[in-house]
Amino acid sequence: MIGFDNWFTLENVFGHEFCFSNAEIINAVANGLRGELVLEVQVSDLVKTPPKKWEKWDLVYIKICFFGVKEISMFANHDHIHIKEFLVKKKEKDFQYELEVLCGENYINCNYAIARIQNIKPLVWDDNFHYYVVPE
């Protein structure tokens, strides 16, 4: 995907058709003074090529950092925000991309310079916490 300097990391795990469709946004942090946006998502897509150190997983956690962020707008009013469309368009200027994350009535829009996949971790259900955790 354009606008990411290491998109291949996701393609290696999920395949070339991966696009965040139906992923759940579990955290979104915008830091306007630093020009950063961080999205944390849980993905239930089929893992085609798991990393060797992964033994089991129910979901996959992905942390994405967007740098050089300008003109950001967000609206979120639900606990569970599922991505319907995750669109990135190249703008006319060099190193300028437009992100549009559509989640029904919720959305995230911004212009940014570059994005990076920071973490990809397996998640398993923990009956004690009633939540997904990174396995030990």
Side-chain angles (χ1 to χ4, degrees):
M1 180 176 283
I2 61 169
F4 285 77
D5 70 350
N6 63 344
W7 184 259
F8 65 90
T9 58
L10 292 177
E11 287 181 342
N12 290 345
V13 174
F14 297 106
H16 294 289
E17 62 281 344
F18 180 75
C19 65
F20 288 109
S21 191
N22 296 318
E24 181 180 351
I25 298 173
I26 57 173
N27 196 21
V29 178
N31 187 330
L33 294 175
R34 291 180 58 186
E36 290 181 9
L37 169 65
V38 176
L39 292 181
E40 295 177 76
V41 298
Q42 288 181 165
V43 175
S44 59
D45 290 44
L46 174 67
V47 173
K48 293 184 177 178
T49 311
K52 291 179 183 176
K53 59 185 174 182
W54 289 15
E55 294 179 15
K56 60 181 179 173
W57 62 91
D58 297 316
L59 298 174
V60 178
Y61 165 88
I62 302 171
K63 180 179 178 181
I64 314 162
C65 294
F66 297 86
F67 301 100
V69 172
K70 298 177 182 181
E71 300 177 30
I72 187 167
S73 60
M74 281 196 269
F75 177 74
N77 70 350
H78 293 283
D79 290 340
H80 300 282
I81 301 171
H82 294 275
I83 297 172
K84 293 192 185 329
E85 289 188 81
F86 189 96
L87 307 167
V88 176
K89 299 175 195 163
K90 176 125 177 60
K91 309 253 318 183
E92 290 183 20
K93 296 179 181 179
D94 285 341
F95 300 109
Q96 280 293 307
Y97 299 93
E98 180 180 357
L99 171 69
E100 209 176 348
V101 181
L102 304 175
C103 312
E105 62 188 42
N106 303 291
Y107 65 87
I108 299 171
N109 294 329
C110 73
N111 293 323
Y112 69 96
I114 196 70
R116 180 170 241 317
I117 306 302
Q118 294 287 59
N119 291 34
I120 304 174
K121 296 179 181 177
L123 295 173
V124 295
W125 182 256
D126 186 309
D127 283 329
N128 293 328
F129 293 114
H130 299 284
Y131 201 73
Y132 291 97
V133 298
V134 175
E136 294 181 12

